[in-house]
Amino acid sequence: MHDLPTTTRPGHPMIWRRAGMMAYGFLVYGLSVAVLAYTIGFVLDLVVPRSVSRGPVRPVTNAILGNLALLSLFGLQHSVMARPAFKRFLCRFVPPPVERSTYCLATCAALIGLFLFWSPIEGSLWTVTTPWLALALQVLALSGFGLLLVASFQLNHFELFGLLQPWRAIKGRELSPPEFKMPALYAHVRHPIYLGMLIGMWSTPNMTYGHLLFAGVASAYIVVGSTLEEMDLASSLGAPYVGYQRRVSRLVPVRSLLRRFSVDASASEKQPQ
């Protein structure tokens, strides 16, 4: 394996190895941020030159099959590389501190390929022409992606994007073993990042058929991906996470709202009439 000693002499090759891992982590993090920003523009059809609804048009059948292949490639990469068995396999070839960065790099490559080869599909399921309602939907979509970003920082944004791991290696410290945590947003839904993605994808004033294909397949992936992720979390975290699954809804904060309604109703009943 790629164990790192906690101390090295000045000029020791291990220093350069650690510096290389840190540089790799920074480069991948910068690329990830750029790709995430482009993804938001791609989905919302804002600013970027090609989007989910805008670009070279191909025959409908070819466009559907090609787009499905691109989405499947992303889904396979995103899920297979996230499994513990694949992580162990990958760490036979890359140092463990950059395993997450390598995962993020592969994700960026899959998304860039999707951006380059995506084919819009003409026609719309709905088009909102009322200006204030169209603006409200765009604001809601941006709020969804804002929720995604906030949720990433509540977990550990820099660990999620692979920057914390090489930094810890430079300091000669290993990452702490996984433990159950429930930050603010995660007390209401188990996957606020996925919830933000769903809001961002579906809150559009112009639901073209290409956008519909993207949002529909991505939503199905979210259900499958979150299921696989929770199987791994339940296996690694045990009873605390299983109990969390019972208390908190996966994507829609139904249980949280019901608890809040129940508490408010009880408080109202106890007030003197």
Side-chain angles (χ1 to χ4, degrees):
M1 297 298 288
H2 304 269
D3 297 327
L4 298 175
T6 56
T7 60
T8 55
R9 300 185 306 276
H12 192 281
M14 185 58 67
I15 293 178
W16 295 106
R17 184 185 184 196
R18 290 179 174 180
M21 289 193 299
M22 195 71 245
Y24 178 65
F26 270 114
L27 288 172
V28 173
Y29 177 77
L31 178 63
S32 299
V33 170
V35 169
L36 177 59
Y38 195 100
T39 301
I40 294 172
F42 181 82
V43 173
L44 301 185
D45 195 15
L46 295 173
V47 182
V48 298
R50 295 178 61 168
S51 74
V52 71
S53 301
R54 189 162 33 84
V57 177
R58 299 165 60 194
V60 174
T61 301
N62 292 345
I64 292 173
L65 292 176
N67 292 344
L68 287 174
L70 291 169
L71 289 166
S72 299
L73 179 63
F74 170 79
L76 286 171
Q77 175 275 317
H78 213 61
S79 288
V80 172
M81 289 190 70
R83 304 281 68 79
F86 190 92
K87 291 180 181 180
R88 291 191 293 270
F89 170 77
L90 184 60
C91 287
R92 294 169 58 185
F93 305 97
V94 302
V98 297
E99 175 270 320
R100 184 67 185 183
S101 293
T102 304
Y103 171 84
C104 291
L105 180 61
T107 299
C108 289
L111 284 172
I112 290 171
L114 188 147
F115 301 150
L116 289 174
F117 298 107
W118 180 266
S119 299
I121 302 173
E122 295 179 321
S124 297
L125 184 64
W126 71 71
T127 301
V128 176
T129 56
T130 306
W132 70 265
L133 184 54
L135 178 61
L137 286 170
Q138 288 180 325
V139 170
L140 181 60
L142 285 169
S143 299
F145 285 109
L147 173 64
L148 181 156
L149 290 173
V150 171
S152 75
F153 278 99
Q154 287 197 348
L155 271 182
N156 190 323
H157 174 85
F158 297 108
E159 182 177 353
L160 194 64
F161 284 88
L163 199 56
L164 181 62
Q165 293 88 331
W167 175 253
R168 287 281 184 93
I170 283 179
K171 295 294 184 179
R173 296 180 304 193
E174 295 183 357
L175 284 176
S176 304
E179 58 182 24
F180 177 71
K181 297 178 181 178
M182 192 171 64
L185 288 173
Y186 291 82
H188 302 285
V189 289
R190 301 199 299 269
H191 299 280
I193 290 177
Y194 288 152
L195 176 59
M197 291 174 61
L198 289 170
I199 294 171
M201 290 188 299
W202 289 99
S203 302
T204 175
N206 184 27
M207 179 59 79
T208 64
Y209 291 126
H211 192 144
L212 179 65
L213 177 67
F214 181 92
V217 174
S219 298
Y221 167 74
I222 283 173
V223 174
V224 174
S226 62
T227 300
L228 294 173
E229 182 180 336
E230 293 202 347
M231 290 171 59
D232 293 338
L233 289 170
S235 176
S236 61
L237 299 176
Y241 191 81
V242 174
Y244 174 63
Q245 288 177 298
R246 296 194 186 103
R247 296 191 309 273
V248 178
S249 302
R250 182 187 299 195
L251 292 168
V252 182
V254 175
R255 295 174 192 170
S256 178
L257 291 173
L258 288 175
R259 283 197 300 270
R260 179 63 180 269
F261 177 79
S262 176
V263 170
D264 290 346
S266 299
S268 177
E269 290 175 358
K270 292 178 181 179
Q271 291 180 355
Q273 301 296 322

